[in-house]
Amino acid sequence: MSFQEFYTYQMPTRIVHGRGALRLLPEELSRLGGKRVWIVTDPGIVQSGLLRHVTEVLTAAGIPHGVYADTPNTATVAAAAASYAQARDFGFDSVVALGGGSALVVGKVTAILGGNGGHPRDYEHQGYTQPPVPCVAIPTSAGSGAEVSKQCPLVDEERQHKFTLGDTRGYPAVALLDANLLRTIPARQALFSGADALTHAIEAYVTTYTTPLTDALAEKAMHMLMQNLRPAILAGDPAAQEACLLGSTLANIACGNAKLGLVHGLARNVQAMFKVPYGLTIAVFLPPVMAWNTPAAPERFAVMAQQFGAAQPGSPLQEQADRAVQAVRHLLADLDCPRRFTPDQVDPEAIPTLARMAFARGSKLQSPADLLKVDTTGYVNSPNIRRARYDDVVKLYQHSLQGWDL
């Protein structure tokens, strides 16, 4: 296991938070020079009435705006291209991304294309040269933390491939956190979002890029999320929802700098091949990958157990690490989270392909024929604290179809 010699920490996004913060949107747009605003959201946000709250604020301020509301459950190349085409016709100079992670990603990519033109695929390998147009990200769930992330993961459905546009210029200019916007989120979506946020904090704590800065953020995020996800989701407690929203933002700042591990590395391939809710893929992989990782960093998982309120002082180190995993299992079980993929969700015959995709990450070998050329004799290219070989990846995918138990 090789660790980095030098590290970086970056967070250029301006974060504005507090109940009722939505009313500050015109002020933030004015500061950025936004005069013709393109809103990117999804059908659920329209149905919930949250979009209307945003458009009313903009209308009252005399700010012209257009809307793309067709973001699917998973951010896709097609959705980003369609949003940009319509925004270009509207003549936009700024973006408001409103919704969960998918809408925020499509909004951020629309902003990138607004500054660079072209199509999302144009920047898969070569990156982009010009800064995006200003983007204000407004999350309506405590989950992805995409409001403070430069990463824009997109599923290319035509190629059954998932890639990420990531550039230091890609952070939203402003993240506007208003916990009032979480009140309408369905419990199941809140669960999947919460599982993603918790995983960001956990994985940021067990990579080869961890630093004292990211550790502090990850530990605080883990504590806030573990203590508040149950009352936020099961009881709709407003204070708990606000804590989860801030916790999810902290978690993404942590993983944006310390990076992510195998949970996301395995889940992204399932996303590319199958139509499974993103948060579900994360929740299914989280407990088994945590358990697989504990031997590589038992002291770090023991700290997690302390943050989760599950520590037992004086017990052996590995037992303390195991208690962290068990605490996560119990949390997800209490929230009625599915524990495995069913065969109609993920085809067991696809496991060898999924495993090869893990080794192909970052390369141009993405087509089914190209995947057969991928070298699987070494380790997966991941900063995960425990290095994974091909057989390890296959077993973890097999585990995802068998499921985890308490």
Side-chain angles (χ1 to χ4, degrees), residues 378-396:
Y379 294 99
V380 170
N381 180 20
S382 170
N384 194 77
I385 198 71
R386 183 177 178 185
R387 303 189 74 183
R389 291 189 178 276
Y390 179 80
D391 287 347
D392 298 319
V393 174
V394 167
K395 288 176 182 177
L396 286 167

Side-chain angles (χ1 to χ4, degrees), residues 61-189:
I63 300 175
H65 52 274
V67 179
Y68 176 81
D70 293 327
T71 303
N73 291 333
T74 299
T76 63
V77 167
S83 172
Y84 170 60
Q86 295 175 29
R88 183 185 56 207
D89 291 343
F90 173 76
F92 75 123
D93 61 14
S94 51
V95 171
V96 168
L98 173 71
S102 295
L104 298 189
V105 166
V106 172
K108 290 191 295 182
V109 176
T110 302
I112 290 169
L113 297 177
N116 291 269
H119 189 276
R121 290 195 193 106
D122 296 339
Y123 308 106
E124 177 179 355
H125 295 294
Q126 66 188 40
Y128 47 92
T129 59
Q130 300 301 315
V133 301
C135 176
V136 177
I138 308 177
T140 60
S141 64
S144 74
E147 67 275 6
V148 289
S149 174
K150 67 180 180 181
Q151 307 292 354
C152 299
L154 293 171
V155 171
D156 190 330
E157 293 180 307
E158 290 183 20
R159 297 185 295 166
Q160 287 195 320
H161 167 48
K162 188 172 186 178
F163 66 91
T164 298
L165 302 183
D167 187 285
T168 55
R169 292 162 294 190
Y171 291 92
V174 176
L176 199 60
L177 311 182
D178 185 343
N180 287 340
L181 303 180
L182 270 61
R183 291 183 298 191
T184 62
I185 186 172
R188 185 172 178 81
Q189 181 56 52

Side-chain angles (χ1 to χ4, degrees), residues 284-353:
V284 168
F285 282 116
L286 179 57
V289 172
M290 284 182 71
W292 184 80
N293 273 334
T294 56
E299 69 289 344
R300 289 200 156 245
F301 282 92
V303 173
M304 283 187 208
Q306 295 172 11
Q307 297 300 327
F308 296 164
Q312 188 172 46
S315 59
L317 191 59
Q318 184 61 49
E319 182 178 325
Q320 294 180 51
D322 293 340
R323 291 178 69 84
V325 182
Q326 191 68 354
V328 170
R329 289 194 188 106
H330 278 288
L331 170 68
L332 295 176
D334 289 350
L335 298 176
D336 197 26
C337 182
R339 305 180 191 181
R340 67 183 180 94
F341 301 126
T342 59
D344 63 313
Q345 290 174 321
V346 176
D347 182 0
E349 298 297 320
I351 287 178
T353 300

Side-chain angles (χ1 to χ4, degrees), residues 10 42 56-57 77 81 88 93 118 141 143 211 230 237 255 271 287 297 303 318 323 361 364 396:
Q10 187 171 21
D42 62 60
E56 286 175 350
V57 168
V77 167
R88 183 185 56 207
D93 61 14
S141 64
T211 71
R230 285 184 180 87
D237 180 83
C255 72
Q271 282 289 298
V303 173
Q318 184 61 49
R323 291 178 69 84
R361 183 177 181 184
K364 295 184 179 181
L396 286 167

Side-chain angles (χ1 to χ4, degrees), residues 8-12 15 148 171 197-206 209-226 243-259 300 303-304 307-308:
T8 60
Y9 177 88
Q10 187 171 21
M11 180 27 55
I15 301 171
V148 289
Y171 291 92
L198 182 61
T199 304
H200 286 161
I202 291 171
E203 291 213 287
Y205 202 62
V206 285
Y209 286 87
T210 60
T211 71
L213 289 169
T214 60
D215 285 350
L217 291 164
E219 287 179 25
K220 183 63 175 179
M222 283 188 280
H223 178 78
M224 293 177 73
L225 290 163
M226 183 62 77
C244 287
L245 180 59
L246 287 170
S248 68
T249 299
L250 288 175
N252 198 291
I253 298 173
C255 72
N257 286 275
K259 304 190 183 300
R300 289 200 156 245
V303 173
M304 283 187 208
Q307 297 300 327
F308 296 164

